[in-house]
């Protein structure tokens, strides 16, 4: 299985801050990566697909980059609605796997 | 409106069977695969497997294979996740999600609301 390792596991930040979350794959996954946001008690929401493509309706302060084994999700200016958990997912090979998650908390 | 609507909360006893459902609407059911995702309390997301409703071809996570069965009925645009013998450790919430990966991975863009399963004697 491809292991997806996210860092950090948690981060505290303030409204207006720039935040970057990284995701490392245990082998080359090209750009077969997605990022999701999940709020407590809710289903995950797709933010980024194909590593860097912004899902329709997602604010432009979210961006993704990377290819191969190293990927990043960046939130350019944190808004109150952005405090949530974030997950990366690879779909290059079965079984699809998620990172362990990053919890973004208010400082 | 494109949506996936999952069946309601279930309370079962160990050893019982169960099938939960995920009904799609607002799009062509056979144009997207459906995945099932488990989330244990306070934990992360785990991909269980997926089905292509067009031909019912399935891929399973080995961690779940043999314990669950994923199926679909394209005549009613519904996917299923079923257990023949539930365990207490199956107690958690399960999500269905649609996805597409023709030439690239477009992510899982529509999710059901989740079905909570409780297994207790």
């Amino acid at each position: 299985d491809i292991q997806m390792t996210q860092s950090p596991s948690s981060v505290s930040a303030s409204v207006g801050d720039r935040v970057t979350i990284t995701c490392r794959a245990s082998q080359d996954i090209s750009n077969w990566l997605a990022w999701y946001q999940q709020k407590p008690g809710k289903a995950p929401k797709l933010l980024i697909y194909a590593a860097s493509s912004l899902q329709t309706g997602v604010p432009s302060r979210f961006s993704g980059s990377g290819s191969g084994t190293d990927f990043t999700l960046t939130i350019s200016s944190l808004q109150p609605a952005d405090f949530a958990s974030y997950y990366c997912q690879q779909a290059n090979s079965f079984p699809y796997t998620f990172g362990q998650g990053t919890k973004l908390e208010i400082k | 409106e494109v949506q996936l609507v999952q069946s309601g909360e279930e309370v079962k006893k160990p050893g019982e069977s169960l099938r939960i459902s995920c009904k799609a609407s607002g799009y062509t059911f056979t144009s997207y695969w459906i995945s099932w995702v488990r989330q244990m309390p306070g934990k992360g997301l785990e991909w269980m497997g997926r089905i292509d409703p067009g031909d019912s071809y399935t891929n399973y996570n080995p961690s779940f294979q043999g314990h669950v069965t994923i199926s679909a009925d394209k005549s009613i645009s519904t996917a299923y996740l079923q257990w023949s013998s539930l365990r207490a450790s199956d107690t958690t919430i399960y999500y269905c999600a649609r996805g597409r990966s023709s030439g690239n991975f477009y992510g899982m863009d529509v999710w059901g609301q989740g079905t909570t399963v409780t297994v207790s004697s």
Side-chain angles (χ1 to χ4, degrees):
Chain A
D1 298 4
I2 297 176
Q3 305 302 315
M4 305 299 292
T5 304
Q6 283 181 236
S7 61
S9 295
S10 64
V11 57
S12 294
S14 301
V15 172
D17 284 354
R18 179 184 182 91
V19 170
T20 297
I21 298 168
T22 65
C23 180
R24 175 164 288 176
S26 60
Q27 63 190 72
D28 189 339
I29 60 169
S30 184
N31 68 337
W32 287 62
L33 183 106
W35 288 96
Y36 303 89
Q37 176 193 67
Q38 188 181 32
K39 297 183 178 180
K42 299 295 186 182
K45 172 188 175 183
L46 176 65
L47 300 175
I48 301 286
Y49 64 91
S52 60
S53 296
L54 191 68
Q55 174 67 3
T56 302
V58 174
S60 59
R61 62 181 180 274
F62 290 92
S63 64
S65 65
S67 183
T69 60
D70 293 312
F71 302 86
T72 60
L73 172 71
T74 298
I75 310 171
S76 60
S77 179
L78 276 173
Q79 298 302 302
D82 301 338
F83 292 94
S85 294
Y86 293 85
Y87 296 90
C88 60
Q89 180 202 16
Q90 69 82 20
N92 183 73
S93 63
F94 295 111
Y96 295 169
T97 44
F98 290 93
Q100 81 279 13
T102 295
K103 188 172 184 179
L104 178 51
E105 299 174 303
I106 301 174
K107 183 183 287 185
Chain B
E1 180 191 4
V2 175
Q3 57 180 351
L4 297 174
V5 178
Q6 296 185 227
S7 49
E9 182 173 2
E10 299 276 1
V11 180
K12 303 293 257 185
K13 290 181 168 49
E16 291 187 332
S17 63
L18 174 66
R19 188 176 77 170
I20 62 176
S21 65
C22 171
K23 182 168 178 59
S25 62
Y27 73 96
T28 302
F29 186 55
T30 53
S31 295
Y32 295 78
W33 41 261
I34 297 286
S35 275
W36 287 93
V37 175
R38 184 176 82 170
Q39 187 167 35
M40 301 296 277
K43 301 298 184 183
L45 306 171
E46 300 173 273
W47 183 82
M48 302 176 70
R50 79 173 209 189
I51 187 164
D52 181 336
D55 58 11
S56 290
Y57 187 79
T58 52
N59 298 93
Y60 289 93
N61 184 330
S63 297
F64 295 94
Q65 188 154 21
H67 184 53
V68 298
T69 301
I70 296 171
S71 61
D73 184 342
K74 60 185 178 182
S75 70
I76 55 172
S77 300
T78 301
Y80 301 97
L81 178 66
Q82 67 181 67
W83 297 258
S84 59
S85 181
L86 286 160
R87 309 164 181 161
S89 57
D90 294 319
T91 296
T92 193
I93 188 165
Y94 297 88
Y95 294 103
C96 63
R98 81 166 193 180
R100 189 162 61 96
S101 51
S102 56
N104 210 327
F105 178 44
Y106 295 92
M108 302 196 292
D109 66 337
V110 179
W111 292 66
Q113 81 277 20
T115 296
T116 299
V117 174
T118 302
V119 183
S120 174
S121 54

